[in-house]
Amino acid sequence: MSHRSPLTTPLSRRHILSTALGGTALLALSACGATDSSSGSSASPSGSPASGTAPTDSFPVSITHAWGSTTIPKAPTRIATTGWSGEDAVLALGVLPVGMPRANYGQVDKNGMLAWTARAVTKLGGTGDKLPKVYDETDSINTEAISDTEPDLILGISSGVTKEQYATLSEIAPTIPYTSKIPWGATWRDVMRVTAKAMGHTSAGEKVIADCERTMVSAIAKYKGLKGRSAAVMWFDPKKLSTLTIYTTGDARPAYLTDLGFTTPASVAKQSQGAAFYKEISAENADIFSDVDIIVSYGDPKTLLPLLQKDPLISRIPAVKRGSVAVIEDNSELASAVSPSVLSIPSQVGPYAAALARAAGKLS
């Protein structure tokens, strides 16, 4: 089981970075990015450029990243992405990427896209021969497929691009790998800001971010019981409850909870020190998480919590014992939204807030 693969297992990067709970009506919230069609908003955010609009920034542009610095000599017109959610940031600026990875977790359409990505692509005219090329990155970066798109810029801001892969991709086009301290550590803001800088639209990028922030504030404000609560994202393997996995403070999932006003439990902060984006913990030590008010996890909402509550070790976590667990259904549309992008936020933050509120309702 790979923890780095974009979305092939519950512990894959994208799964670790994405979640929410279904069945709740979306709130009528302000949009950010090329928004969900259910909100009635336009394909690109107010103030963002339409496809083909000239950049507002000057070139060349240099961007520092994990493997050095990359200079983009002129405004890119053919952008390919690798990793997680890079295509959403490009689309939010009103531009169709020429290539993007296939989504392989959550509800994926016939073209390999998540719902909010597909809607943005369609609204920008990405149909027929204008549909972006979608390539499989289940096992590794598909450099051949990326090369076939003839890109003039490759973005892998939320990814685990290695030094060797960076060198290979750079032979194809200027490449921006991850800019965070650890692989896969970029937040949705990081992805948006670096993408906007690389495309020459920094002002439009900030507008997208501001819209998303207002959307989150509106969603969470509906639930007064969430104020001041602590929360953590964990994963439990139903077939192996001898360990549990926490997503560290270097991961975008816990960062999203912070965006929504939750505090980071001291136990999670301590376990995050020097760790990658996740850390496995022995179930014998499960009670160290006694300071966690709400747990977000993935699985079957009907069976996971009862299973955890029956386990003699995992049930020692107070949040588990009282039922303060938001279980995000695997392969639901919302399952790819706990690791947010500028397109998933307006689509799924309402149901996510509702799921968190239901879990908080079990607090005494």
Side-chain angles (χ1 to χ4, degrees), residues 141-228:
I141 295 174
N142 195 332
T143 54
E144 182 177 352
I146 291 174
S147 180
D148 288 345
T149 68
E150 300 180 351
D152 55 10
L153 177 64
I154 302 170
L155 297 176
I157 302 159
S158 180
S159 74
V161 172
T162 66
K163 189 173 184 179
E164 293 74 21
Q165 289 169 332
Y166 168 67
T168 300
L169 292 171
S170 295
E171 292 178 359
I172 300 171
T175 299
I176 311 298
Y178 63 94
T179 55
S180 48
K181 292 181 180 180
I182 60 174
W184 300 104
T187 67
W188 64 272
R189 288 185 185 83
D190 296 332
V191 175
M192 189 68 255
R193 286 197 170 107
V194 177
T195 298
K197 181 177 180 180
M199 292 175 62
H201 289 293
T202 54
S203 294
E206 291 302 316
K207 175 63 169 61
V208 173
I209 290 171
D211 286 347
C212 284
E213 290 172 341
R214 284 191 291 270
T215 297
M216 291 187 293
V217 169
S218 297
I220 212 70
K222 182 177 179 180
Y223 305 102
K224 305 303 181 184
L226 298 179
K227 187 175 182 180

Side-chain angles (χ1 to χ4, degrees), residues 2 28-29 33 71 102 106 119-120 145-146 148 162 164 215 226 240 261 270 280 285 291 298 302 362:
S2 169
L29 303 174
T71 297
R102 176 182 176 83
R119 285 190 284 266
I146 291 174
D148 288 345
T162 66
E164 293 74 21
T215 297
L226 298 179
K240 184 186 174 184
K270 183 177 181 180
E280 289 188 353
N285 299 317
D291 59 344
Y298 302 88
K302 295 180 180 179
K362 302 296 180 65

Side-chain angles (χ1 to χ4, degrees), residues 7 84 100 109-110 114 125 149 160 165 173 227 282 325 329 351 361:
L7 254 186
W84 161 240
M100 65 179 74
D109 72 5
K110 64 181 181 180
L114 297 170
T149 68
Q165 289 169 332
K227 187 175 182 180
S282 171
V325 182
E329 184 174 4

Side-chain angles (χ1 to χ4, degrees), residues 306-320:
L307 182 66
L308 299 180
Q309 290 176 326
K310 291 178 182 178
D311 185 85
L313 297 178
I314 300 295
S315 63
R316 292 162 61 191
I317 302 175
V320 170

Side-chain angles (χ1 to χ4, degrees), residues 1-4 10-13 16-17 182-184 232-237 240 242-254 266-286 288-289 295-298 314 317:
M1 179 182 293
S2 169
H3 293 267
R4 303 298 185 191
L11 279 180
S12 67
R13 175 56 190 172
I16 292 172
L17 282 172
I182 60 174
W184 300 104
V233 186
M234 301 182 182
W235 185 70
F236 305 91
D237 184 345
K240 184 186 174 184
S242 59
T243 63
L244 62 92
T245 297
I246 64 163
Y247 302 112
T248 69
T249 54
D251 184 82
R253 274 159 277 231
S267 60
V268 173
K270 183 177 181 180
Q271 295 299 320
S272 298
Q273 295 176 6
F277 66 85
Y278 72 94
K279 185 176 182 179
E280 289 188 353
I281 305 292
S282 171
E284 294 180 352
N285 299 317
I288 66 175
F289 299 109
I295 294 173
V296 176
S297 192
Y298 302 88
I314 300 295
I317 302 175

